[in-house]
Amino acid sequence: MKKDLLTLADLDAADMDLLLSRARQLKKRHKKGIQDWSLIGKTVGLIFEKASTRTRISFQAAAAQLGGTSLFISSADTQLARNEPVADTARVLERYLDALVLRTYSQDIQTEFARVASIPVINALTDLYHPCQVLSDLLTVLEYKGRFQGLKVAWIGDGNNMAHSWINAAAALGFELVLACPQNYMPDSSVIHGAGDKRFIRVVHDPAEAASGADVINTDVWASMGQEDQAEARQSVFEPFQVNSGIMDRAKKDAIVMHCLPAHKGEEITEEVFEGPQSVVWDQAENKLHMHKAILETLINR
Ligand code: CP
Ligand code: NVA
């Protein structure tokens, strides 16, 4: 594996398999009360420009449960906020830390940190990608469906950071991914063009077409962090893209419904579907802990 985890485009199927099987193993051991100590003496720094509940806390809990330490720093409290160059910050932080977990608006900042710092840099969300979330979501899919090959995954809603990381995952693992997005909210074409094997990836504008016969129905908020000023304008455009009982009727009977959270119930997903028997959202949230352990351990101890 590469030193950094900035995008799933950098991981091949073997890398993903490695992380998935280690996360499964760590989850099993955690459930049995077996302690793992793979991060003793290691310090993980988290610098976040955007809000976070799950990603921040699961990375910090992951480091603690493996015997390591973590430090959370809001980027506003660092000298980055006063224009200290990223390259200078990176050259300082690599002397204190064993890994850096970043949540930033721009992907380029993370690429620059990764270029300069000798320690692993891990993308905890940018405007462009959310790779760690999709890795833990893949773990949830594997738990419920037992495989990736032959699955149909539907993405219904915005062609956003989550959609981009799902595109990368489908290209690497070879499952069918059909994204139903409004005309002006499709995934970035450069992400699709950059995806290795595009045979299984399709973008459509009809949510029923994406949901038809799907094993997995996936959605996310209509306005992501940083798009708050567009929220009102997006409402009417996205209304036909709501995951509701009509959409679920199109999917396979045993389809699972996924949402990375936080959810806006009544908007991208109805309360009924969100709280219904096909929803696996709490397992998704839990699996972030186990996957983040696997990511930290693999990258720090490589
Ligand atoms: N799913 C996710 O990344 O949640 P947070 O924004 O709470 O970290
Ligand atoms: N697409 C959402 C995901 C939040 C975890 C956002 O970027 O806000």
Side-chain angles (χ1 to χ4, degrees):
M1 276 189 55
K2 288 197 171 177
K3 170 178 81 73
D4 310 293
L5 205 175
L6 300 181
T7 162
L8 294 187
D10 289 343
L11 270 58
D12 60 19
D15 296 329
M16 291 187 196
D17 280 349
L18 181 88
L19 290 172
L20 287 163
S21 49
R22 183 57 182 154
R24 284 184 102 159
Q25 200 175 39
L26 285 162
K27 180 173 183 176
K28 233 182 249 168
R29 291 169 65 80
H30 181 74
K31 298 278 179 198
K32 286 188 189 155
I34 302 168
Q35 182 79 49
D36 283 287
W37 299 112
S38 49
L39 293 185
I40 281 188
K42 306 292 184 188
T43 308
V44 178
L46 294 88
I47 300 183
F48 280 37
E49 289 177 356
K50 300 185 184 192
S52 173
T53 298
R54 283 148 285 271
T55 308
R56 169 188 176 175
I57 296 171
S58 57
F59 262 114
Q60 292 199 268
Q65 289 176 20
L66 294 178
T69 300
S70 69
L71 303 167
F72 179 81
I73 315 116
S74 157
S75 71
D77 295 331
T78 67
Q79 299 286 8
L80 284 166
R82 296 177 60 249
N83 294 326
E84 183 169 17
V86 167
D88 294 0
T89 309
R91 284 178 288 179
V92 172
L93 295 182
E94 70 178 14
R95 295 180 181 227
Y96 305 147
L97 302 171
D98 297 288
L100 191 53
V101 178
L102 298 175
R103 174 169 283 199
T104 57
Y105 290 89
S106 139
Q107 182 79 14
D108 291 347
I109 289 182
Q110 299 204 12
T111 308
E112 177 68 352
F113 263 111
R115 186 184 68 79
V116 178
S118 54
I119 55 172
V121 176
I122 298 167
N123 179 355
L125 184 146
T126 61
D127 289 349
L128 196 60
Y129 295 120
H130 200 359
C132 297
Q133 177 71 47
V134 172
L135 282 171
S136 58
D137 291 351
L138 291 171
L139 174 59
T140 308
V141 170
L142 207 51
E143 286 173 345
Y144 278 90
K145 299 292 163 193
R147 66 192 201 286
F148 296 115
Q149 237 96 56
L151 288 186
K152 178 177 179 184
V153 176
W155 176 268
I156 297 177
D158 193 15
N160 63 11
N161 45 8
M162 281 291 299
H164 291 160
S165 288
W166 271 102
I167 288 168
N168 294 147
L173 295 173
F175 54 82
E176 185 184 359
L177 176 67
V178 184
L179 304 105
C181 311
Q183 193 71 49
N184 294 321
Y185 299 91
M186 284 152 62
D188 196 312
S189 55
S190 66
V191 173
I192 299 184
H193 289 138
D197 190 347
K198 295 177 266 292
R199 272 177 308 163
F200 301 108
I201 302 164
R202 262 190 318 133
V203 183
V204 300
H205 304 300
D206 176 9
E209 184 181 343
S212 173
D215 300 278
V216 178
I217 301 280
N218 218 323
T219 190
D220 189 11
V221 290
W222 290 339
S224 286
M225 288 181 277
Q227 297 171 336
E228 288 78 7
D229 58 337
Q230 302 171 29
E232 212 180 302
R234 284 171 172 251
Q235 284 285 329
S236 54
V237 179
F238 279 92
E239 248 160 50
F241 292 80
Q242 184 186 63
V243 172
N244 51 32
S245 55
I247 288 293
M248 292 312 298
D249 286 344
R250 303 276 183 157
K252 285 204 181 125
K253 286 271 168 292
D254 63 351
I256 56 169
V257 179
M258 306 185 82
H259 193 309
C260 66
L261 306 180
H264 291 160
K265 289 173 247 178
E267 293 185 14
E268 72 272 7
I269 189 165
T270 57
E271 175 100 29
E272 184 194 5
V273 173
F274 184 87
E275 299 294 350
Q278 289 167 277
S279 167
V280 299
V281 298
W282 311 121
D283 291 325
Q284 279 181 265
E286 175 184 337
N287 282 338
K288 287 171 74 74
L289 172 70
H290 309 299
M291 181 50 76
H292 292 168
K293 281 183 184 173
I295 291 169
L296 288 175
E297 197 190 77
T298 304
L299 294 185
I300 292 175
N301 296 328
R302 64 195 265 284

